[in-house]
Amino acid sequence: MSHEHTARSHTGRHHHHKGGHRHDTGGSSIDFYACHSRIRHWNPGFRVGFSIILLLFCILANHPAVSCVIILTAAWITVGMGGLSFRRYFSVLTIPITFILLGSAAVAVDFSRQPIGDFHLYLFWGYLYLTYESLLNTLFLILKVFGAVSAMFIMTLSTPSHELFSVLRKARCPSLIVELMHMIYRYIFILMEVQRNMRISAESRLGFGDFKTSCYSFGQIASNLFIIALKKANAYYDAMEARCYDGTFAFLEEEHQANPKHLIAAGIYLTALMSFWLAIR
Amino acid sequence: MNEPILQVNDLHYYYNDNQAALNGISVSIYPGERIAVIGSNGAGKSTFFLNINGVLSPEHGEIFYHGTKITKKSLPELRKNIGIVFQDADNQIIASSVKAEISFGPMNLKLPREEVSRRVNMAMEYMNITEYGDRPPHYLSGGEKKRVAIADIIAMEPDVIIFDEPTAALDPLNAVMLEEVLEKLSAEQKTLLISTHDVDFAYRWAERVLVFCDGQIIADGTPLSVFQNDEVVKKASLTRPVMLDVYEELVRNGLLADAGVYPRDMREFRELIGK
Ligand SMILES: Nc1ncnc2c1ncn2[C@@H]1O[C@H](COP(=O)(O)OP(=O)(O)OP(=O)(O)O)[C@@H](O)[C@H]1O
Ligand SMILES: [Mg+2]
């Protein structure tokens, strides 16, 4: 869960599309893609369940061929069936790719006083070295992580957060937590927008002209944001009270019946994957 | 007339100790009335609305709903029957999809699922937002958010609906649509209170106008009587509706006979000229 959320907030800030597509809130593009996915009418519980099972299987199987199959099918589901353009899918994937590559570099490379290993590099007081074996292991690790991430993206790129919350609620997640997630999610966007507006207005009045004014403006915006957060919390509560809020959050949740065809297809796929793994293990 | 649906007696409200935001408001509102609330910025319109909805509790004064005094206990009943569309839609929208958002009020009324679903769809149709149903509200524009906020309240089907500056963020097309919605709600015998800075709108739509100034009501009457009262217009720093000015100017210059029928909108004006 937490991984998934960090991914959401990262995308919004760090990646830029080359094409004309841009949106105004500076919010998370993942959520935006999810709203427009063509597989949204599938039962959300099914989608979440399937991608979690796939994720677990990828980790437990721990086999590069299985990982490859999962990477390919996940891409096919999200791009082929979900209708996300490949370029966007790729740009979303590049965020974890960076982390994965950096992380596995640390796993692959070792350190020694003697010049051992298949490749080594002398650094003042010792050797950084690589072996074929460690290289291969790292490659497998990358594939595994990559497979797990793309399995997760089946869910992330087709399930907007409100659907996710309702799945969590149905899965008996404590309602306090689900409600908090709801509020926090909505609130992040409001604060981001307020911050953005203040920043733009400061910029248009030359508030970021040189270093000193930048610091000053930043401080002003930060402290103002804090006050606005408090005020908004009040206004929010008032508006909820005005609509008869009595301490429990209740929303109408749409029921998409799980399509038996999807269930059967998923069952067949998972069984096939399982037998494939058993055969090559 | 019959019994007032809402009666306010000598309401006082202070945000901070030295300055009254509301300073002795008394007014009776009757079922089915169309009331425009006008007054300059900071006159106390929003504060008044929050008080009669029970969100803010007044320092002094009483509110009666259908003749029963509102206390802490009867507050939920009051809120059920008085809906308020807030001035800033962002402060009102809480859910992460439009449909869920609109269902929040009806769900709080503990209605059965089918009924909630019916009302949500009805409200979305009313406000012309059916196509946004599954979107998160933060991907909507200001005016679209405003329409969601209005649908929120329509779905609760209260007897009295308060709109705090509904037209401020809407484009002309949706402003016209909003007026149609108001017309429909009126036909359903809802009592409507609308605060606005658009005097032309107040003049053509309302059957009664309340003028706020420094936390007091300085005028209460038909749009015509209010806008013809130069003292009130000046004190509340209002402008006169264009239609009224044009009509009086035409009469003064002898281009039109003074029949005492004041046109309220272009259609009525055309009919008058056509004669
Ligand atoms: N949350 C608050 N805290 C303190 N003072 C407030 C608060 N909200 C409003 N006021 C003050 O109360 C007075 C009345 O404000 P109110 O919001 O009712 O005005 P309004 O008639 O709705 O104005 P507008 O046309 O700008 O919406 C103003 O002087 C304002 O400064
Ligand atoms: Mg106001």
Side-chain angles (χ1 to χ4, degrees), chain B residues 6 8 36 38 54 112 188 196 221:
Chain B
L6 200 64
V8 178
I38 54 181
E188 289 168 17
T196 180

Side-chain angles (χ1 to χ4, degrees), chain A residues 109-126:
Chain A
V109 177
D110 241 323
F111 187 74
S112 152
R113 291 232 169 249
Q114 268 74 48
I116 50 169
D118 298 305
F119 308 97
H120 51 248
L121 179 70
Y122 181 69
L123 279 178
F124 316 106
W125 57 87

Side-chain angles (χ1 to χ4, degrees), chain B residues 55-66:
Chain B
V55 169
L56 299 178
S57 36
E59 221 73 23
H60 177 81
E62 301 159 312
I63 301 169
F64 295 89
Y65 178 73
H66 274 307

Side-chain angles (χ1 to χ4, degrees), chain A residues 28-279:
Chain A
S28 80
S29 36
I30 289 190
D31 214 43
F32 190 77
Y33 299 154
C35 289
H36 293 273
S37 173
R38 263 188 283 162
I39 55 174
R40 257 200 73 189
H41 61 275
W42 291 9
N43 177 292
F46 168 73
R47 260 179 281 141
V48 175
F50 181 70
S51 71
I52 289 176
I53 291 174
L54 212 55
L55 167 84
L56 291 178
F57 189 74
C58 181
I59 292 169
L60 292 179
N62 194 12
H63 194 289
V66 173
S67 306
C68 285
V69 173
I70 290 180
I71 291 171
L72 290 179
T73 33
W76 180 67
I77 290 177
T78 312
V79 176
M81 299 167 91
L84 187 71
S85 81
F86 187 77
R87 195 171 52 81
R88 286 187 189 163
Y89 183 62
F90 191 74
S91 75
V92 172
L93 273 183
T94 47
I95 306 146
I97 283 180
T98 330
F99 287 110
I100 294 171
L101 290 182
L102 285 177
S104 13
V107 176
V109 177
D110 241 323
F111 187 74
S112 152
R113 291 232 169 249
Q114 268 74 48
I116 50 169
D118 298 305
F119 308 97
H120 51 248
L121 179 70
Y122 181 69
L123 279 178
F124 316 106
W125 57 87
Y127 294 86
L128 285 177
Y129 72 93
L130 277 171
T131 61
Y132 283 120
E133 205 201 336
S134 75
L135 215 51
L136 203 63
N137 276 337
T138 310
L139 185 68
F140 290 173
L141 181 70
I142 289 176
L143 280 178
K144 186 167 81 169
V145 176
F146 202 29
V149 169
S150 31
M152 213 58 206
F153 269 136
I154 297 180
M155 174 184 88
T156 327
L157 288 173
S158 69
T159 313
S161 359
H162 63 100
E163 278 187 2
L164 195 65
F165 299 154
S166 84
V167 170
L168 284 176
R169 190 194 299 272
K170 281 194 193 116
R172 305 265 154 72
C173 189
S175 62
L176 177 71
I177 293 178
V178 179
E179 281 165 21
L180 265 178
M181 284 168 64
H182 233 122
M183 292 301 278
I184 291 170
Y185 173 73
R186 172 84 184 106
Y187 219 86
I188 285 172
F189 285 96
I190 292 187
L191 285 185
M192 253 163 44
E193 192 166 326
V194 171
Q195 188 268 350
R196 199 181 63 113
N197 289 344
M198 286 198 293
R199 204 194 142 82
I200 290 173
S201 90
E203 241 167 69
S204 75
R205 286 175 288 163
L206 305 180
F208 291 91
D210 56 48
F211 183 71
K212 211 174 134 211
T213 39
S214 296
C215 289
Y216 178 74
S217 305
F218 180 79
Q220 289 280 309
I221 289 174
S223 60
N224 214 359
L225 202 60
F226 178 70
I227 294 167
I228 286 178
L230 289 180
K231 266 198 74 177
K232 288 241 171 200
N234 251 333
Y236 242 145
Y237 187 70
D238 286 350
M240 280 161 67
E241 282 234 289
R243 282 200 282 161
C244 304
Y245 175 68
D246 59 359
T248 51
F249 249 45
F251 300 113
L252 183 68
E253 277 153 11
E254 265 180 292
E255 308 268 318
H256 292 298
Q257 279 304 319
N259 187 338
K261 263 195 244 161
H262 293 158
L263 285 179
I264 294 170
I268 293 174
Y269 173 73
L270 288 174
T271 327
L273 198 61
M274 184 85 84
S275 357
F276 173 65
W277 173 56
L278 290 175

Side-chain angles (χ1 to χ4, degrees), chain B residues 40-47 49 87 164-165 195 197:
Chain B
S40 52
N41 292 137
K45 301 177 300 285
S46 300
T47 311
F49 288 160
Q87 188 165 1
D164 205 347
E165 283 174 43
S195 86
H197 292 294

